[in-house]
Amino acid sequence: MGTQGSSAAWRGRALAPVLIYLSSVVAVISSLGAPLIPTIAAADHVSLSEAQWSLTITLLVGAVATPTMGRLGDGALRRSTILGALAIVLVGNTLAALPFGFGWLIAGRALQGVGLSLIPLTVATARDSLPPERSRPAIALLSVTVVSGIGVGYPLTGLIAEHFGFHASFWLGTAVSGTALAAAMLVLPSTRHLTRRPLDATGAVLFGAALAGLVLVLSEGQSWRWTSPALLGLGAVSLVCLAVWIVFELKTGQPLVDLRLLRNRVVLTAAVVGLIAGMGTYLLLSLVTRLAQTPAGPSGGFGVSIVVSGLILIPFSVGTLAANKAVQLVAQRMPWRLTLPLACVVTLSSLVMFGLARTDLWELLVVMGLNGLGVGCVFALLPNLVVTAVPAGDVGSAIGFNQVLRYVGFTTGSALSAVALESHTTAGAALPDPSGYGAAAVWGMVICAAAAVTAIVLPGRRPSAPDVREDRGNPTVAEGAGPAVVLPAEGEQLRGCTRS
């Protein structure tokens, strides 16, 4: 009996670190494709646009898989869903690491995309299985691992690929995903006691088709040409699928995503801000990494190696992690309706600085640190707003849907950066005019300003009441991420909640 008790206590203490490790592994693995695109193109004798699929396919599969996995993980299958996703990621890493050719690499990267669906599942696990004093900081940290992992994955990938070849990067992914699977099997609590939720298979297919088409349009617009019949036709079909999916989800009894939740202005705010913030984040990331590797000279670049360009993103990761603490301090002193717009303004300031000062490498470091702080605060706040505004049984799918919108925003921001630079590239030239980076920065400023305005206007005059429920035998307010666990009434400050 004593042995069982000590084993359970050990698992309880290890749960939060393991959940954070799982999310970090997924974040790093998902970023493996970006810095390797030129290397993959040369090694597998494919064009740069084809090699781009090593990144696009991961994001695409992640966006499609996230709501489905979130729904499966809302109930008794949560543990099995997490372990299954980790096993798929492990297989995907192995396929990508083996020298079987470009097709197998793409297949492996597609399987790795399933891992992106783990973020909302780890948030739901932390919320349900950790005591409130540990769940709040854990959930806030989990919510920023996707962006903070980028700053770790980029330089690490570049360093390994430069010395051992790009396949070695995926072998590293195989090793860390294997240890993540083993740790999860040991520590994750059983979820058999939870209510089993049916899967809306029709909704999953419709949503997957619509989202896949739209992401393809955004990703391939440059290579297919934005006015090509194929691209326009794909976009039209995708929009029709999306419209049918919305109607179906509103009518079905067990929807993949309960779109009725968007009637709650708090949930709608989190969804829209997450989408827009994701656009601004990847727009700046794409601009900075490209400018850093652009040859020095009239093009305005710095001509640094892939390793150095990755190191430039380390301040971004540091900023996102610092945001976890900063958002706790700020949110205790002002209403949440001011905290979220303030975070958007910090992100906006990083775009302003990039637009005005990008002639020295240290300026890029400051830009990325500032952007990481702002984006980290935004993404630390959003899960809390969702958790406190929806019923407990819908947390997984609601956060999953919010995560999907981030991924769509990431893809859109990347595409916008390419469009902006191409519009300032002279016909026949290989590199854009330096003014293109300034124009793209203005686009980013508009995007971040839109996020701030949305965070102010969309919630309305009075947020919805918090979800009060029985939790571990005590009637409490719904727990959430970050510093706050209740949505205050008009004029109140966002504050922590303690149990008596």
Side-chain angles (χ1 to χ4, degrees):
M1 187 71 175
T3 302
Q4 292 179 349
S6 61
S7 177
W10 174 82
R11 289 190 177 94
R13 291 192 299 270
L15 181 58
V18 167
L19 291 176
I20 293 170
Y21 178 64
L22 298 186
S23 299
S24 301
V25 166
V26 169
V28 171
I29 290 175
S30 67
S31 70
L32 284 178
L36 297 179
I37 290 172
T39 305
I40 291 172
D44 289 334
H45 307 290
V46 298
S47 66
L48 284 172
S49 61
E50 290 176 309
Q52 183 73 29
W53 275 100
S54 63
L55 176 63
T56 302
I57 194 66
T58 305
L59 180 62
L60 175 59
V61 172
V64 172
T66 294
T68 302
M69 302 287 274
R71 174 55 67 184
L72 287 173
D74 264 345
L77 296 177
R78 180 183 299 162
R79 174 184 162 88
S80 300
T81 301
I82 294 175
L83 295 179
L86 286 170
I88 292 173
V89 171
L90 177 60
V91 173
N93 273 292
T94 304
L95 286 178
L98 293 171
F100 289 162
F102 185 66
W104 286 101
L105 171 66
I106 294 300
R109 290 291 291 161
L111 294 179
Q112 290 174 23
V114 175
L116 292 174
S117 64
L118 285 174
I119 304 298
L121 295 181
T122 58
V123 169
T125 300
R127 172 189 174 277
D128 291 343
S129 302
L130 293 174
E133 66 274 8
R134 295 180 61 201
S135 68
R136 290 192 291 272
I139 292 174
L141 189 56
L142 287 168
S143 67
V144 300
T145 51
V146 172
V147 287
S148 63
I150 293 172
V152 177
Y154 275 29
L156 182 62
T157 298
L159 184 63
I160 294 174
E162 192 170 283
H163 290 85
F164 305 103
F166 78 90
H167 286 291
S169 299
F170 294 111
W171 279 124
L172 175 65
T174 301
V176 296
S177 58
T179 58
L181 176 59
M185 292 177 67
L186 289 174
V187 171
L188 287 181
S190 172
T191 52
R192 294 177 181 176
H193 62 284
L194 299 177
T195 303
R196 190 161 185 164
R197 306 291 294 273
L199 176 64
D200 173 20
T202 302
V205 171
L206 287 171
F207 184 76
L211 197 57
L214 292 175
V215 171
L216 280 170
V217 168
L218 294 171
S219 301
E220 300 300 319
Q222 292 297 115
S223 58
W224 291 10
R225 291 177 307 176
W226 293 104
T227 58
S228 67
L231 193 73
L232 295 176
L234 178 61
V237 172
S238 301
L239 291 175
V240 169
C241 289
L242 183 62
V244 173
W245 174 73
I246 291 174
V247 173
F248 182 83
E249 294 298 286
L250 291 174
K251 290 184 178 181
T252 187
Q254 294 289 341
L256 180 71
V257 176
D258 190 357
L259 297 179
R260 298 176 185 85
L261 295 173
L262 294 178
R263 296 173 182 171
N264 183 310
R265 288 194 171 190
V266 175
V267 178
L268 182 60
T269 299
V272 176
V273 171
L275 173 65
I276 300 175
M279 292 170 58
T281 299
Y282 254 68
L283 185 141
L284 183 60
L285 284 174
S286 300
L287 293 175
V288 168
T289 53
R290 181 165 172 174
L291 180 63
Q293 296 183 64
T294 297
S299 59
F302 296 94
V304 301
S305 68
I306 186 175
V307 177
V308 176
S309 67
L311 292 174
I312 293 173
L313 299 186
I314 288 182
F316 178 81
S317 291
V318 174
T320 59
L321 294 176
N324 181 39
K325 186 64 176 179
V327 83
Q328 297 182 43
L329 298 175
V330 174
Q332 291 173 359
R333 292 165 172 79
M334 66 174 62
W336 76 268
R337 292 182 62 210
L338 294 180
T339 308
L340 187 57
L342 178 61
C344 295
V345 170
V346 174
T347 307
L348 170 62
S349 66
S350 68
L351 269 300
V352 173
M353 181 174 179
F354 180 77
L356 298 176
R358 55 180 185 279
T359 56
D360 293 309
L361 205 56
W362 69 266
E363 293 171 334
L364 297 186
L365 294 172
V366 175
V367 165
M368 293 315 304
L370 195 59
N371 186 261
L373 181 63
V375 170
C377 288
V378 171
F379 288 161
L381 284 166
L382 294 185
N384 181 76
L385 301 185
V386 173
V387 168
T388 55
V390 302
D394 288 319
V395 168
S397 58
I399 293 181
F401 182 57
N402 189 272
Q403 196 74 33
V404 168
L405 293 178
R406 292 192 204 181
Y407 297 152
V408 175
F410 292 163
T411 307
T412 306
S414 180
L416 286 176
S417 69
V419 171
L421 294 181
E422 184 178 1
S423 65
H424 286 76
T425 302
T426 306
L431 299 172
D433 187 87
S435 62
Y437 290 96
V442 172
W443 292 16
M445 296 176 204
V446 173
I447 290 171
C448 293
V453 172
T454 299
I456 295 172
V457 175
L458 199 54
R461 299 187 62 182
R462 183 177 294 275
S464 301
D467 171 31
V468 180
R469 68 179 188 277
E470 290 289 326
D471 187 12
R472 300 182 181 93
N474 296 318
T476 65
V477 179
E479 300 292 346
V485 294
V486 294
L487 289 176
E490 182 70 16
E492 285 189 292
Q493 291 187 351
L494 194 62
R495 59 187 184 278
C497 178
T498 58
R499 295 176 188 269
S500 57

